[in-house]
Each structure stands twice: as C-alpha cells, then as structure tokens.
Amino acid sequence: MAVTLKEVAERAQVSRSAVSRTFTDGASVSEKMRRKVEKAAQELGYSPNALASSLTTGRTKLIGLVSNNFHNPIFLEVFDRFTRRLQDRGLRPLLVNLSDETDPENSVRMLRQYSVDGVVVASSTLPPGFAKAFRDAGVPVVHSFGRSSSTPQVHVVGIDNVECGRMAARTLVARGYKTVAFMGGPQTATSTQDRCKGFTSEMETHPDITATHSFAEDYSFEAGRREMLRLLRDDPAEAYFCGDDVLSIGALSAIREKGLQVPQDIGVIGLNDMEMARWENIDLTTIHQPIEQIVNSSIELVAAMLDEPDRYPEARIFPCHVVERGTLRPQQT
C-alpha cells in the first residue's frame, strides 16, 4: 500500500501540516524541518500525491499541449521537446488532439474540465481564434508556430513565414532556375498563406522568371505526393519550394516514381529541417526552423504567465536559414 502523509509525519515526529508544507512549492518551512521530513519520506518511500497537492495549492501544474498536426512527423520532434522541457520544470503536459475540432469554444470547455493551468497551442494550421478563445476564457495561453504580428492578441512564438517564402525564392533565383513554383499545404492555413505571399512577392521582382503556385490538401507525405503527381502530368516547373519538409518528401517520391532525377531534372527545397530531411536517401535542401528555441521560449512564457496571467502579449520571432543538401543544383556564380 502507498505510504501516507500521516506515516511520514509520525516517522519524522512532526505535524502532518509540516509534511504538507515541505512538499508544497513556495510554502514556509525551516531547513531543519525540511531535512527531517525528506529523510523520513526517503526511508519510507513516500511520494507526494500531485492531485492532493493541487487541491491545496489550487494549481494542477497541467499544461494543455494542443495541436492538429499529428500525422506530420515533425510534430513527433516538437512534442518530444515540449513534454521533456515541461517535465524538467515540474509541469505536466496534457496532450490534446484537435484534428477534427472546428469550434474553439469546445476546445476551451474540454481543457477546463481538466483544470489546466495553461495552454500551448502548437500548430501553424489551427486558426488564430483557437488561441484567442483560451485567452478570452482567462486561461494563460501561448501560440507556438503561430502567425507573427507586431500587435499580437496572445503570446506568439515562431518564425516569419513571409520572409521564409522570400528566402526560398531568392535561393531558387540564385541557382538560375527559369520556371519555379510554390507547392503549399492547405490554403486555409496561415503558414501556407504567408509562405506563398513571401515567395510570390519576391518572384514579382524577377519578371524574367515564370512563377506559379498550387496547394496540397494538408501537410502530409501522401498529400505532397498526390499534388506533385498532378503537377507532373502537365508542364512541371524546374524547381519547387514545398511549404513543409513532409510535403517535399512526398514530392520527391512522386518525381522519382516518374523516372525523373533530383536535382538534375527537378529541384526541391523544403521548410523545417526535420530529422528525416537529413537522412542520406532524402538529403533535402531546406529552410531550418529553430524548433528548440521556439519550444523553450514557449515554455518560458507559459510558465511566467502562471504567476503573471495578465502579462502583455508579445511576439517572439526567430530567424531561419537555408540548409544546403542535395535536392537543388549548385548556386550559379
């Protein structure tokens, strides 16, 4: 049977309230008392009950980690980093799948049932209204991988997707391609809209280069493969900026399925620099998104909001850079 708080108090010869204070963050207890209680707890194998502690402190230390991109392998990396970093801070992640959810209010009601202390919306495809709904309900919230803004309504941590689109366009221009294209994810996603906007606006400064755009159904391997197979039936571009690495890998599969070579026949550049992009059989040239910094900064903000829930919203935007691998021809000199 589990060791009780009462048994620890008896072993340490202190009151039960002293034991409770010892295992309550921020509670007042002398160092001598703490040593006695911790020694007795270790001898008995006692572990404080997190649920009971939450009833005392009014805090569950639960942080809702919500997303809708569970089919995208990049989020395995994202969730791994989030869960480990939250646990390092003594917080407990509650992973929530919103793939089929369209009503922000339903999400708020669901997370409130678990009495979460805060929420991290980790998605570039969920509408901004989801994060705002948590804010309006008084729940501390951070939108990771959200849309950059000079006047954010909630805390946003991510990248400048418009600039990433420009970066991809400049990279293709520097390699001498005369027909280029953007192949994005779902057109409703703000990340797709912004990457397309940046790519298109940069290409407008190069009227001698033909630029087009199209969209896949979602950010997935199969969606990228299907869209590229469709594009290859007509007159394909010489190079594509795929708005996500997993789309790029699907596109590479379609290109090779049709007997074409990369980068000799068609060039591809992605975005994210996910682990799979580095695999030897993929070797994807891509734009590196600083996922570790985004995750760490998001957790820093949501943890700070637990003590300062009215903290003024800020946008933390991290720079990206191109990672050269083998799916684009060399830069022209």
Side-chain angles (χ1 to χ4, degrees):
M1 295 181 63
V3 178
T4 65
L5 182 145
K6 179 183 177 182
E7 290 172 311
V8 175
E10 290 173 349
R11 171 66 69 93
Q13 296 184 325
V14 299
S15 67
R16 280 183 285 182
S17 65
V19 177
S20 178
R21 292 197 307 276
T22 299
F23 293 109
T24 300
D25 291 340
S28 176
V29 60
S30 70
E31 189 57 34
K32 180 179 178 181
M33 180 75 74
R34 184 180 300 280
R35 286 198 301 267
K36 287 179 63 176
V37 172
E38 289 178 346
K39 182 174 183 293
Q42 184 176 14
E43 291 172 351
L44 294 171
Y46 171 77
S47 295
N49 186 305
L51 180 58
S53 176
S54 71
L55 295 175
T56 301
T57 63
R59 287 189 175 180
T60 63
K61 296 188 178 180
L62 276 174
I63 302 297
L65 180 58
V66 303
S67 185
N68 62 337
N69 288 333
F70 283 75
H71 55 272
N72 191 334
I74 187 65
F75 276 86
L76 295 177
E77 298 179 36
V78 170
F79 296 147
D80 176 61
R81 292 182 186 278
F82 262 120
T83 53
R84 286 192 285 116
R85 296 295 178 267
L86 285 168
Q87 288 165 182
D88 288 345
R89 282 181 171 261
L91 300 170
R92 294 179 291 161
L94 177 65
L95 203 57
V96 180
N97 187 342
L98 296 184
S99 294
D100 299 321
E101 185 56 75
T102 58
D103 184 357
E105 299 304 324
N106 288 341
S107 305
V108 172
R109 283 192 292 271
M110 178 173 60
L111 270 295
R112 276 190 151 177
Q113 288 175 356
Y114 291 97
S115 300
V116 296
D117 287 341
V119 170
V120 175
V121 177
S123 173
S124 64
T125 57
L126 279 173
F130 275 79
K132 183 176 179 295
F134 288 109
R135 186 209 66 177
D136 292 345
V139 180
V141 60
V142 175
H143 191 172
S144 299
F145 308 99
R147 194 175 213 170
S148 62
S149 171
S150 58
T151 56
Q153 295 182 306
V154 301
H155 292 286
V156 175
V157 184
I159 60 175
D160 184 342
N161 283 299
V162 175
E163 176 56 28
C164 284
R166 295 193 188 104
M167 187 182 301
R170 291 193 295 266
T171 301
L172 297 184
V173 170
R175 280 153 179 76
Y177 293 110
K178 294 304 180 184
T179 59
V180 300
F182 171 72
M183 190 182 86
Q187 196 169 358
T188 55
T190 59
S191 55
T192 300
Q193 296 166 9
D194 289 349
R195 292 165 194 176
C196 184
K197 177 182 178 181
F199 184 84
T200 302
S201 64
E202 180 65 28
M203 292 313 307
E204 286 174 350
T205 67
H206 300 275
D208 57 320
I209 301 176
T210 300
T212 57
H213 60 267
S214 66
F215 306 98
E217 295 175 4
D218 54 37
Y219 285 117
S220 69
F221 170 88
E222 192 55 42
R225 179 179 171 277
R226 281 196 304 269
E227 181 59 18
M228 182 54 72
L229 286 173
R230 186 189 71 81
L231 293 167
L232 292 173
R233 288 198 295 266
D234 298 318
D235 186 19
E238 294 178 343
Y240 288 86
F241 167 41
C242 298
D244 177 90
D245 282 354
V246 74
L247 284 178
S248 302
I249 296 170
L252 291 174
S253 175
I255 292 167
R256 288 161 180 161
E257 180 180 323
K258 291 300 182 181
L260 300 171
Q261 291 185 309
V262 177
Q264 292 88 339
D265 297 315
I266 296 180
V268 174
I269 180 172
L271 191 153
N272 273 331
D273 195 21
M274 63 191 291
E275 183 181 354
M276 290 172 62
R278 306 161 210 165
W279 293 0
E280 187 176 352
N281 63 325
I282 295 175
D283 197 32
L284 177 67
T285 298
T286 188
I287 296 172
H288 175 80
Q289 179 167 207
I291 291 173
E292 184 171 6
Q293 291 96 316
I294 291 171
V295 169
N296 291 344
S297 186
S298 298
I299 292 174
E300 177 187 319
L301 277 172
V302 78
M305 291 178 72
L306 300 184
D307 295 320
E308 191 183 348
D310 295 328
R311 186 184 178 108
Y312 194 77
E314 62 178 289
R316 297 185 179 182
I317 306 302
F318 292 89
C320 298
H321 64 270
V322 174
V323 178
E324 301 280 358
R325 294 199 182 97
T327 56
L328 289 182
R329 64 194 186 193
Q331 183 168 337
Q332 294 192 342
T333 57

